[in-house]
Amino acid sequence: MQQNNGLDKSQLISFGIFSMILIGFMFYFQNRNAKAEQEQLAIDAKKTEQTTKAKPLATNLNAATVTPASVQKVNLQNDELALEFSSIGGQLSSVKLNKYEAFGGKPLYLFSNNNASYGFQFKDKTNKVFNTKDLVFVPTVAGNSVTLTSKIGTAVIQFVYTLKAKYTVDFQVKTQGLATLVNDGKAEFIWDYTVKGAEKGRSQEETHTEFAYSFNNYKDYDYDARTDMNEPDETLNWIGVKQQFFSAVIEAKNGFTKSKGNQEIIEEGEFLKKFNYNGQVNLAGNELNQDFTWYFMPLDMELLKSFDKNFDEILPLGWSFIGSLNRYVFMPLYNLISSWGVAAGWAIFWMTIIVKLILSPVMFKQHKLSAMMKVIRPEIDEVNAKFKDADPMKKQQETMAVYRKAGVNQMAGCLPALVQIPLFYALFRFFPNMIDLRGKSFWFAPDLTAYDDVIKFGFKVPLLGEHLSIFALACTVVILIYTVMTSGNIQQPQQEGMPNMKVLMYIFPITFLFFLNSSASGLSWYYFVSNAINIVIILVIKYFILDEKKIHAQIQANKQKEPKKEGKFQKRMREMMEQAQQQQAQQQNKKK
């Protein structure tokens, strides 16, 4: 057997020669590629210089040197996006979503008619500021790509846009010779965007129009709807402006730093808000050679999740448990029902039925409790009359004794009410943000994500606006009927200055009308069905489940028996009342 003693001398020499040849080839091809790229940039710069020789480069779009004849427009298009690029600033001047329409059947544009502008701002060595938005570029189109080239001094700047699938536009920035102009190693990306309304409900869409951005390597997300945004310490992976159902987002592969922005509400007209964003990008060797990506997306959950860039957080489904309800309960449930070929309005109907069935044990207990409290109303009135002039605490104790003898636990009614609060807020988020409902009509509502306005006033009514939603009105009437049916067990205040709870219960549905009148009609339809089911349940319990005579007889029999041993909760409540009585008596003695 031969022993391996390692490499001999001839093998080492051969390995060294081979390594030198390999390294030589690498340097040769690297220099050759770099030289070819420089030559191409020089050719593009020469074309730009020839094109703009008679028209000096502008540093201000209002300068007389920039004329309509100097503005060139080029286009790219696929099934999803139709893009237009302008030679002024090398920007996207128009972005149209081909598969969607704005309200009224109009084309849906995110960028159009100079409502958006963006560019990179530099300081030259004399501290003068120049921005690519103010430069004239020369466009060339090749397949699904557009290259826009501009020259400022001895520097060449290129923007290369490539239209891709899934509403994506790659945006490469290349410079050569920029280092002869700047030396501070940074540039600012400035984006001004006046958002145009695309939906029927202005107030609702304005509420959902806001900054959205991700940081910490796409792991964290934040938004800002009302105030100035300021993220001086975070590196943003992407920054976007979202509307109710659509968003424009720019991603920086190397990130934006020292980000700040502001927003301003536009009270009326076709535009909703004006946004301004300013973020810093770092230069390598005072040259800007970085990759960016534009996304012009519908806020569809499956599409957003497919990017794996935390885009799904843009969809405002609510935080924590509320958002989880929408993501893992309501959205899958609606998608499942609609997949059966059911119309959107009926899908909401069956979704309501299923949710009610799931909650039926809890809801049944609440409705049964409400019905029983109405049955024992005479006994409660008897206690109130008997202890009319007694101490309020004593009267409360006797009232609780009646409930206890009848087997009614007042606190049991709190749990169902608490359960409904997160459901209400989740649905409040679900219906205005479910893009599958957008444009879906049902009866007299042309769009279930907006209000119906069959009844138009022709003038503004305080709190209501210029219309009355039939769905909101129907929902309010049903809630009023439900309130009348369940308010019989509410005690009237026995002390002066205490609010009348019955009056408050009747006021609530009226205020609900003002809230729902400008909200998504799908939400009003859901609550109409939900409360109609509640009424049916109460009627079934009253006429087919509860035996009022039996309950009364049981209460009278319990009066003759020795009182049952108090439970822990009843004992604690009694002790608290007694303690409160003692404190009240002490206070009265002090006053005397």
Side-chain angles (χ1 to χ4, degrees), residues 34-110:
K35 186 177 180 181
E37 188 174 356
Q38 289 178 355
E39 288 175 355
Q40 184 61 44
L41 280 172
I43 291 170
D44 292 334
K46 190 173 182 181
K47 287 181 180 178
T48 305
E49 190 174 8
Q50 289 173 352
T51 305
T52 58
K53 189 173 182 180
K55 294 171 279 191
L57 289 171
T59 56
N60 188 329
L61 289 178
N62 294 321
T65 52
V66 178
T67 64
S70 68
V71 180
Q72 298 182 58
K73 304 284 188 179
V74 294
N75 301 89
L76 292 178
Q77 182 168 330
N78 61 12
D79 292 339
E80 298 162 338
L81 296 175
L83 309 176
E84 180 185 83
F85 302 87
S86 173
S87 61
I88 302 300
Q91 307 172 68
L92 275 160
S93 55
S94 174
V95 176
K96 175 177 174 286
L97 276 71
N98 294 328
K99 294 184 178 181
Y100 296 89
E101 291 182 342
F103 173 66
K106 299 176 182 177
L108 200 157
Y109 288 93
L110 296 185

Coordinates of all heavy atoms in Angstrom, one line a residue, residues 34-110:
A34 N -15.9 46.0 -17.5 CA -16.0 47.4 -17.0 C -15.8 48.4 -18.1 O -16.4 49.4 -18.1 CB -14.9 47.5 -15.9
K35 N -14.8 48.1 -19.0 CA -14.5 48.9 -20.1 C -15.8 49.0 -21.0 O -16.1 50.1 -21.5 CB -13.3 48.4 -20.9 CG -12.9 49.4 -22.0 CD -11.6 48.8 -22.7 CE -11.1 49.8 -23.8 NZ -9.9 49.3 -24.4
A36 N -16.4 47.9 -21.3 CA -17.6 47.9 -22.1 C -18.7 48.7 -21.5 O -19.4 49.5 -22.2 CB -18.1 46.5 -22.3
E37 N -18.9 48.6 -20.2 CA -19.9 49.4 -19.5 C -19.6 50.9 -19.6 O -20.5 51.7 -19.8 CB -20.1 49.0 -18.1 CG -21.2 49.6 -17.3 CD -21.4 49.0 -15.9 OE1 -20.7 48.1 -15.6 OE2 -22.3 49.5 -15.2
Q38 N -18.3 51.3 -19.4 CA -18.0 52.7 -19.5 C -18.2 53.2 -20.9 O -18.6 54.3 -21.1 CB -16.5 52.8 -19.1 CG -16.3 52.7 -17.6 CD -14.8 52.8 -17.2 OE1 -13.9 52.9 -18.1 NE2 -14.5 52.7 -15.9
E39 N -17.9 52.4 -21.9 CA -18.1 52.8 -23.3 C -19.5 53.0 -23.6 O -19.9 54.0 -24.3 CB -17.5 51.7 -24.2 CG -15.9 51.7 -24.3 CD -15.4 50.6 -25.1 OE1 -16.2 49.7 -25.6 OE2 -14.2 50.5 -25.3
Q40 N -20.4 52.1 -23.0 CA -21.8 52.2 -23.3 C -22.4 53.5 -22.6 O -23.2 54.2 -23.2 CB -22.6 51.0 -22.7 CG -24.1 51.0 -23.0 CD -24.4 51.1 -24.5 OE1 -23.8 50.3 -25.2 NE2 -25.3 51.9 -24.9
L41 N -21.9 53.8 -21.4 CA -22.3 55.0 -20.7 C -21.9 56.3 -21.5 O -22.6 57.3 -21.6 CB -21.8 55.1 -19.3 CG -22.5 54.3 -18.2 CD1 -21.7 54.3 -16.9 CD2 -23.9 54.8 -18.0
A42 N -20.6 56.2 -22.1 CA -20.1 57.3 -22.8 C -20.9 57.5 -24.1 O -21.2 58.6 -24.5 CB -18.7 57.0 -23.2
I43 N -21.4 56.4 -24.7 CA -22.2 56.5 -25.9 C -23.6 57.1 -25.6 O -24.0 58.0 -26.3 CB -22.4 55.1 -26.6 CG1 -21.1 54.6 -27.2 CG2 -23.5 55.1 -27.6 CD1 -21.2 53.1 -27.6
D44 N -24.2 56.7 -24.5 CA -25.4 57.2 -24.0 C -25.3 58.7 -23.7 O -26.2 59.5 -24.0 CB -26.0 56.5 -22.8 CG -26.4 55.1 -23.1 OD1 -26.7 54.8 -24.3 OD2 -26.3 54.2 -22.2
A45 N -24.2 59.1 -23.0 CA -23.9 60.5 -22.7 C -23.8 61.3 -24.0 O -24.3 62.5 -24.0 CB -22.7 60.6 -21.8
K46 N -23.1 60.7 -25.0 CA -22.9 61.5 -26.2 C -24.3 61.7 -26.9 O -24.6 62.8 -27.4 CB -22.0 60.7 -27.2 CG -21.6 61.5 -28.4 CD -20.5 60.7 -29.2 CE -20.0 61.5 -30.4 NZ -19.0 60.8 -31.2
K47 N -25.2 60.7 -26.9 CA -26.5 60.8 -27.5 C -27.3 61.9 -26.7 O -27.9 62.8 -27.3 CB -27.3 59.5 -27.3 CG -26.8 58.5 -28.3 CD -27.7 57.2 -28.1 CE -27.3 56.1 -29.1 NZ -28.1 54.9 -28.9
T48 N -27.2 61.9 -25.4 CA -27.9 62.9 -24.6 C -27.4 64.3 -24.9 O -28.1 65.3 -25.1 CB -27.7 62.6 -23.1 OG1 -28.1 61.3 -22.8 CG2 -28.4 63.6 -22.2
E49 N -26.0 64.4 -25.1 CA -25.4 65.7 -25.3 C -25.8 66.2 -26.7 O -26.2 67.4 -26.9 CB -23.9 65.6 -25.3 CG -23.2 66.9 -25.3 CD -21.7 66.8 -25.1 OE1 -21.2 65.6 -25.1 OE2 -21.0 67.8 -25.0
Q50 N -25.9 65.3 -27.7 CA -26.4 65.7 -29.0 C -27.8 66.1 -29.0 O -28.2 67.1 -29.7 CB -26.1 64.6 -30.0 CG -24.7 64.3 -30.3 CD -24.5 63.0 -31.1 OE1 -25.4 62.3 -31.4 NE2 -23.3 62.8 -31.6
T51 N -28.6 65.4 -28.3 CA -30.1 65.7 -28.3 C -30.4 67.0 -27.6 O -31.2 67.8 -28.0 CB -30.8 64.6 -27.5 OG1 -30.5 63.3 -28.1 CG2 -32.3 64.8 -27.6
T52 N -29.6 67.3 -26.5 CA -29.9 68.5 -25.8 C -28.9 69.7 -26.1 O -28.9 70.6 -25.3 CB -29.8 68.2 -24.3 OG1 -28.5 67.7 -24.0 CG2 -30.8 67.2 -23.9
K53 N -28.2 69.5 -27.2 CA -27.2 70.5 -27.5 C -27.8 71.9 -27.8 O -27.4 72.9 -27.3 CB -26.4 70.1 -28.7 CG -25.2 71.0 -29.0 CD -24.3 70.4 -30.2 CE -23.1 71.2 -30.4 NZ -22.3 70.7 -31.5
A54 N -29.0 71.8 -28.5 CA -29.7 73.1 -28.8 C -30.5 73.5 -27.6 O -31.0 74.6 -27.6 CB -30.5 72.9 -30.1
K55 N -30.7 72.6 -26.7 CA -31.6 72.9 -25.5 C -30.8 72.7 -24.3 O -30.6 71.5 -23.9 CB -32.8 72.0 -25.5 CG -33.7 72.3 -26.7 CD -34.9 71.3 -26.8 CE -34.4 70.1 -27.5 NZ -35.5 69.2 -27.9
P56 N -30.2 73.7 -23.6 CA -29.4 73.5 -22.5 C -30.2 72.7 -21.4 O -31.4 72.9 -21.3 CB -29.0 74.9 -22.0 CG -29.2 75.7 -23.2 CD -30.3 75.1 -24.0
L57 N -29.5 71.9 -20.6 CA -30.1 71.2 -19.5 C -30.8 72.1 -18.5 O -30.2 73.1 -18.1 CB -29.1 70.3 -18.8 CG -28.6 69.1 -19.6 CD1 -27.5 68.4 -18.9 CD2 -29.7 68.1 -19.8
A58 N -32.0 71.8 -18.1 CA -32.7 72.7 -17.2 C -32.4 72.2 -15.7 O -32.3 71.1 -15.5 CB -34.2 72.6 -17.4
T59 N -32.3 73.2 -14.9 CA -32.2 72.9 -13.4 C -33.5 73.4 -12.8 O -33.6 73.3 -11.6 CB -31.0 73.6 -12.8 OG1 -31.1 75.0 -13.0 CG2 -29.7 73.0 -13.3
N60 N -34.5 73.8 -13.5 CA -35.7 74.3 -13.0 C -36.8 74.0 -14.1 O -36.6 74.5 -15.2 CB -35.7 75.8 -12.7 CG -36.9 76.2 -11.9 OD1 -38.0 75.7 -12.2 ND2 -36.8 77.2 -11.0
L61 N -37.8 73.3 -13.7 CA -38.9 73.0 -14.7 C -39.6 74.2 -15.3 O -40.3 74.1 -16.3 CB -39.9 72.0 -14.2 CG -39.3 70.6 -13.9 CD1 -40.4 69.7 -13.3 CD2 -38.9 70.0 -15.2
N62 N -39.5 75.3 -14.6 CA -40.1 76.5 -15.0 C -39.2 77.3 -16.0 O -39.6 78.4 -16.5 CB -40.5 77.4 -13.9 CG -41.6 76.8 -13.0 OD1 -42.5 76.1 -13.5 ND2 -41.5 76.9 -11.7
A63 N -38.0 76.9 -16.2 CA -37.1 77.6 -17.0 C -37.6 77.6 -18.5 O -38.2 76.7 -19.0 CB -35.7 77.0 -17.0
A64 N -37.3 78.7 -19.2 CA -37.7 78.9 -20.5 C -37.1 77.9 -21.5 O -37.6 77.6 -22.6 CB -37.4 80.3 -21.0
T65 N -36.0 77.3 -21.1 CA -35.3 76.3 -21.9 C -36.1 75.0 -22.1 O -35.9 74.2 -23.0 CB -33.9 76.0 -21.4 OG1 -34.1 75.6 -20.0 CG2 -33.0 77.2 -21.5
V66 N -37.0 74.7 -21.1 CA -37.8 73.5 -21.2 C -39.1 73.8 -21.9 O -40.0 74.6 -21.4 CB -38.1 72.9 -19.8 CG1 -39.0 71.7 -19.9 CG2 -36.8 72.6 -19.1
T67 N -39.3 73.3 -23.1 CA -40.5 73.6 -23.8 C -41.3 72.3 -24.0 O -40.7 71.2 -23.8 CB -40.2 74.2 -25.2 OG1 -39.4 73.2 -25.9 CG2 -39.3 75.4 -25.1
P68 N -42.6 72.3 -24.4 CA -43.3 71.1 -24.7 C -42.6 70.2 -25.7 O -42.7 69.0 -25.6 CB -44.7 71.6 -25.2 CG -44.8 72.9 -24.5 CD -43.4 73.5 -24.5
A69 N -41.9 70.8 -26.6 CA -41.2 70.0 -27.7 C -40.1 69.2 -27.1 O -39.7 68.2 -27.6 CB -40.7 70.9 -28.8
S70 N -39.5 69.6 -25.9 CA -38.4 68.9 -25.3 C -38.9 67.8 -24.5 O -38.0 67.0 -24.0 CB -37.6 69.9 -24.5 OG -38.3 70.3 -23.3
V71 N -40.2 67.7 -24.2 CA -40.7 66.6 -23.4 C -41.0 65.4 -24.2 O -41.8 65.5 -25.2 CB -41.9 67.0 -22.6 CG1 -42.4 65.9 -21.7 CG2 -41.6 68.2 -21.7
Q72 N -40.4 64.3 -23.9 CA -40.7 63.0 -24.6 C -41.4 62.0 -23.7 O -41.1 62.0 -22.5 CB -39.4 62.4 -25.2 CG -38.6 63.2 -26.2 CD -37.4 62.5 -26.6 OE1 -37.4 61.4 -27.2 NE2 -36.2 63.1 -26.4
K73 N -42.3 61.3 -24.2 CA -43.1 60.3 -23.5 C -42.9 58.9 -24.1 O -43.0 58.8 -25.3 CB -44.6 60.6 -23.5 CG -44.9 62.0 -22.9 CD -44.8 62.1 -21.4 CE -45.3 63.4 -20.9 NZ -45.3 63.5 -19.5
V74 N -42.6 57.9 -23.3 CA -42.5 56.5 -23.8 C -43.3 55.7 -22.9 O -43.6 56.0 -21.7 CB -41.0 56.0 -23.8 CG1 -40.2 56.8 -24.8 CG2 -40.4 56.1 -22.4
N75 N -43.8 54.5 -23.4 CA -44.7 53.7 -22.7 C -44.3 52.2 -22.6 O -43.6 51.7 -23.5 CB -46.1 53.7 -23.4 CG -46.6 55.1 -23.4 OD1 -46.4 55.9 -24.4 ND2 -47.4 55.5 -22.4
L76 N -44.7 51.6 -21.5 CA -44.6 50.2 -21.3 C -45.9 49.6 -20.8 O -46.6 50.4 -20.1 CB -43.5 49.8 -20.3 CG -42.0 50.0 -20.7 CD1 -41.1 49.6 -19.5 CD2 -41.6 49.3 -21.9
Q77 N -46.3 48.4 -21.1 CA -47.6 47.9 -20.7 C -47.5 46.4 -20.7 O -46.9 45.7 -21.5 CB -48.6 48.4 -21.7 CG -50.0 47.9 -21.3 CD -51.1 48.6 -22.1 OE1 -50.9 49.8 -22.6 NE2 -52.2 48.0 -22.3
N78 N -48.3 45.9 -19.7 CA -48.6 44.4 -19.6 C -50.0 44.3 -19.2 O -50.8 45.2 -19.2 CB -47.6 43.7 -18.7 CG -47.7 44.1 -17.3 OD1 -48.6 44.9 -16.9 ND2 -46.7 43.7 -16.5
D79 N -50.4 43.1 -18.8 CA -51.8 42.9 -18.5 C -52.3 43.7 -17.2 O -53.4 44.0 -17.0 CB -52.1 41.4 -18.2 CG -52.0 40.6 -19.5 OD1 -52.1 41.2 -20.6 OD2 -51.8 39.3 -19.4
E80 N -51.3 44.0 -16.4 CA -51.6 44.6 -15.1 C -51.4 46.1 -15.0 O -52.2 46.8 -14.4 CB -50.7 43.9 -14.0 CG -51.0 42.4 -13.8 CD -49.9 41.7 -13.1 OE1 -48.8 42.2 -13.1 OE2 -50.2 40.6 -12.6
L81 N -50.3 46.6 -15.7 CA -50.0 48.0 -15.6 C -49.8 48.6 -16.9 O -49.3 47.9 -17.9 CB -48.7 48.2 -14.7 CG -48.7 47.8 -13.3 CD1 -47.3 47.9 -12.7 CD2 -49.7 48.6 -12.5
A82 N -50.2 49.8 -17.1 CA -49.8 50.7 -18.2 C -49.0 51.9 -17.7 O -49.5 52.7 -16.9 CB -51.1 51.1 -19.0
L83 N -47.8 52.0 -18.1 CA -46.9 53.0 -17.6 C -46.5 54.0 -18.7 O -46.3 53.6 -19.9 CB -45.6 52.3 -17.1 CG -45.8 51.1 -16.1 CD1 -44.4 50.5 -15.8 CD2 -46.5 51.6 -14.8
E84 N -46.3 55.2 -18.3 CA -45.8 56.2 -19.1 C -44.6 56.9 -18.4 O -44.7 57.2 -17.2 CB -46.8 57.3 -19.4 CG -46.4 58.4 -20.3 CD -47.4 59.5 -20.5 OE1 -47.5 60.4 -19.7 OE2 -48.1 59.4 -21.6
F85 N -43.5 57.1 -19.2 CA -42.3 57.7 -18.6 C -42.0 59.1 -19.3 O -42.3 59.2 -20.5 CB -41.1 56.8 -18.8 CG -41.2 55.5 -18.2 CD1 -41.8 54.4 -18.9 CD2 -40.8 55.2 -16.9 CE1 -42.0 53.2 -18.4 CE2 -40.9 53.9 -16.4 CZ -41.5 52.9 -17.1
S86 N -41.6 60.0 -18.5 CA -41.3 61.4 -19.1 C -39.8 61.6 -19.1 O -39.1 61.2 -18.2 CB -42.0 62.4 -18.2 OG -41.6 63.7 -18.6
S87 N -39.4 62.3 -20.2 CA -38.0 62.7 -20.3 C -37.6 63.8 -19.2 O -36.5 64.0 -18.9 CB -37.7 63.2 -21.7 OG -38.5 64.3 -22.0
I88 N -38.6 64.5 -18.7 CA -38.4 65.5 -17.7 C -38.3 64.8 -16.3 O -39.2 64.2 -15.8 CB -39.5 66.6 -17.6 CG1 -39.6 67.3 -19.0 CG2 -39.2 67.6 -16.5 CD1 -38.3 68.0 -19.4
G89 N -37.1 64.7 -15.8 CA -36.9 64.0 -14.5 C -36.7 62.5 -14.6 O -36.4 61.9 -13.6
G90 N -36.9 62.0 -15.8 CA -36.8 60.5 -16.0 C -37.7 59.7 -15.1 O -37.4 58.7 -14.6
Q91 N -38.9 60.3 -14.9 CA -39.9 59.7 -13.9 C -41.0 59.0 -14.6 O -41.3 59.1 -15.8 CB -40.5 60.9 -13.1 CG -39.5 61.8 -12.5 CD -40.3 63.0 -11.9 OE1 -41.0 62.9 -10.9 NE2 -40.1 64.2 -12.4
L92 N -41.7 58.2 -13.8 CA -43.0 57.6 -14.1 C -44.0 58.7 -14.0 O -44.3 59.3 -13.0 CB -43.4 56.5 -13.2 CG -42.8 55.1 -13.4 CD1 -42.8 54.2 -12.2 CD2 -43.6 54.4 -14.6
S93 N -44.5 59.1 -15.2 CA -45.5 60.2 -15.2 C -47.0 59.7 -15.1 O -47.9 60.5 -14.8 CB -45.3 61.1 -16.4 OG -45.4 60.3 -17.6
S94 N -47.2 58.4 -15.5 CA -48.5 57.9 -15.5 C -48.4 56.4 -15.1 O -47.6 55.6 -15.6 CB -49.2 58.1 -16.8 OG -50.4 57.4 -16.8
V95 N -49.3 56.0 -14.2 CA -49.4 54.6 -13.8 C -50.9 54.2 -13.7 O -51.6 54.8 -12.9 CB -48.8 54.3 -12.4 CG1 -49.0 52.8 -12.0 CG2 -47.3 54.6 -12.4
K96 N -51.3 53.3 -14.6 CA -52.7 52.9 -14.7 C -52.8 51.4 -14.4 O -52.0 50.6 -14.9 CB -53.2 53.2 -16.1 CG -54.7 52.7 -16.3 CD -55.1 53.1 -17.7 CE -56.5 52.5 -18.1 NZ -56.4 51.0 -18.4
L97 N -53.7 51.0 -13.5 CA -54.0 49.6 -13.2 C -55.1 49.1 -14.2 O -56.2 49.5 -14.1 CB -54.4 49.4 -11.8 CG -53.3 49.4 -10.7 CD1 -52.6 50.7 -10.5 CD2 -53.8 48.9 -9.4
N98 N -54.7 48.2 -15.0 CA -55.5 47.8 -16.1 C -56.7 46.9 -15.7 O -57.8 46.9 -16.4 CB -54.7 47.0 -17.2 CG -53.7 47.9 -17.9 OD1 -53.9 49.1 -18.1 ND2 -52.6 47.3 -18.2
K99 N -56.6 46.2 -14.6 CA -57.7 45.3 -14.2 C -58.7 45.9 -13.3 O -59.6 45.2 -12.8 CB -57.0 44.1 -13.5 CG -56.2 43.2 -14.5 CD -55.7 42.0 -13.8 CE -54.9 41.1 -14.7 NZ -54.4 39.9 -14.1
Y100 N -58.5 47.2 -13.0 CA -59.4 47.8 -12.0 C -60.0 49.1 -12.6 O -59.3 49.7 -13.5 CB -58.7 48.1 -10.7 CG -58.4 46.8 -10.0 CD1 -57.1 46.2 -10.2 CD2 -59.2 46.2 -9.1 CE1 -56.7 45.0 -9.6 CE2 -58.8 45.0 -8.4 CZ -57.6 44.4 -8.7 OH -57.3 43.3 -8.0
E101 N -61.1 49.6 -12.0 CA -61.6 50.9 -12.4 C -61.9 51.7 -11.2 O -62.1 51.2 -10.1 CB -63.0 50.7 -13.1 CG -62.8 50.1 -14.5 CD -64.2 50.0 -15.2 OE1 -65.2 50.1 -14.5 OE2 -64.2 49.8 -16.5
A102 N -61.8 53.0 -11.3 CA -62.1 53.9 -10.3 C -63.7 54.1 -10.2 O -64.4 53.6 -11.1 CB -61.5 55.3 -10.5
F103 N -64.2 54.7 -9.2 CA -65.6 54.9 -9.0 C -66.2 55.6 -10.2 O -65.6 56.6 -10.7 CB -65.9 55.7 -7.8 CG -67.3 56.1 -7.6 CD1 -68.3 55.1 -7.4 CD2 -67.7 57.4 -7.7 CE1 -69.6 55.4 -7.2 CE2 -69.1 57.7 -7.5 CZ -70.0 56.7 -7.3
G104 N -67.3 55.1 -10.7 CA -68.0 55.7 -11.9 C -67.5 55.1 -13.2 O -67.8 55.6 -14.2
G105 N -66.7 54.0 -13.1 CA -66.3 53.3 -14.3 C -65.1 54.0 -15.0 O -64.8 53.7 -16.2
K106 N -64.4 54.9 -14.3 CA -63.3 55.7 -14.9 C -62.0 54.8 -14.8 O -61.9 54.0 -13.9 CB -63.1 57.0 -14.1 CG -64.3 57.9 -14.2 CD -64.0 59.2 -13.4 CE -65.2 60.1 -13.4 NZ -65.0 61.3 -12.5
P107 N -61.1 55.1 -15.7 CA -59.8 54.4 -15.5 C -59.1 54.7 -14.2 O -59.2 55.8 -13.7 CB -58.9 54.9 -16.7 CG -59.9 55.5 -17.7 CD -61.1 55.9 -16.9
L108 N -58.4 53.7 -13.7 CA -57.8 53.8 -12.3 C -56.4 54.2 -12.5 O -55.5 53.3 -12.8 CB -58.0 52.6 -11.5 CG -57.9 52.8 -10.0 CD1 -58.6 51.7 -9.2 CD2 -56.4 52.9 -9.5
Y109 N -56.0 55.4 -12.2 CA -54.6 55.9 -12.3 C -54.2 56.2 -10.9 O -54.8 56.9 -10.1 CB -54.5 57.2 -13.1 CG -54.7 57.0 -14.6 CD1 -55.9 57.2 -15.2 CD2 -53.6 56.7 -15.4 CE1 -56.1 57.0 -16.6 CE2 -53.7 56.6 -16.8 CZ -55.0 56.7 -17.4 OH -55.1 56.5 -18.7
L110 N -53.0 55.7 -10.5 CA -52.3 56.1 -9.3 C -51.5 57.4 -9.6 O -51.5 58.3 -8.8 CB -51.4 55.0 -8.7 CG -52.2 53.7 -8.3 CD1 -51.2 52.8 -7.6 CD2 -53.4 54.1 -7.4

